[in-house]
Amino acid sequence: MSDDKTNVLHVWMKRDYASIVKAKGVYLYDDQGNEYIDASGGPILVSLGHGVEEMGEALKKQAQEVAFAYRFDFTT
């Protein structure tokens, strides 16, 4: 992380983070033009790839009904 001030609260405050600006398929791209394979495995959607139109339509439909419900207490 640079000396520039930010309002983002990262998990590790003293670590530098790449700033992701674009995603396509299984790849992420940062503001420096570097390409990363998105292998985080946490978010379910990521394993299907970024930019998949069918997923976007399904997410749009769901967000129009319920945008978020905390996973420890609810399901949608």
Side-chain angles (χ1 to χ4, degrees):
M1 192 159 56
S2 69
D3 291 335
D4 296 336
K5 292 187 179 200
T6 178
N7 292 320
V8 177
L9 296 175
H10 295 293
V11 175
W12 291 284
M13 299 296 284
K14 294 182 179 181
R15 178 183 162 209
D16 288 336
Y17 287 84
S19 180
I20 302 300
V21 296
K22 178 181 167 186
K24 179 93 174 137
V26 299
Y27 298 100
L28 300 172
Y29 301 89
D30 68 16
D31 58 355
Q32 303 297 308
N34 297 307
E35 178 183 77
Y36 306 86
I37 293 177
D38 189 351
S40 65
I44 294 167
L45 177 65
V46 173
S47 64
L48 300 174
H50 298 277
V52 179
E53 289 187 33
E54 295 87 354
M55 290 302 300
E57 290 299 319
L59 291 167
K60 177 183 174 186
K61 183 177 176 184
Q62 176 63 33
Q64 290 171 332
E65 299 295 324
V66 178
F68 176 79
Y70 189 61
R71 67 181 181 198
F72 288 151
D73 297 317
F74 305 101
T75 187
T76 59

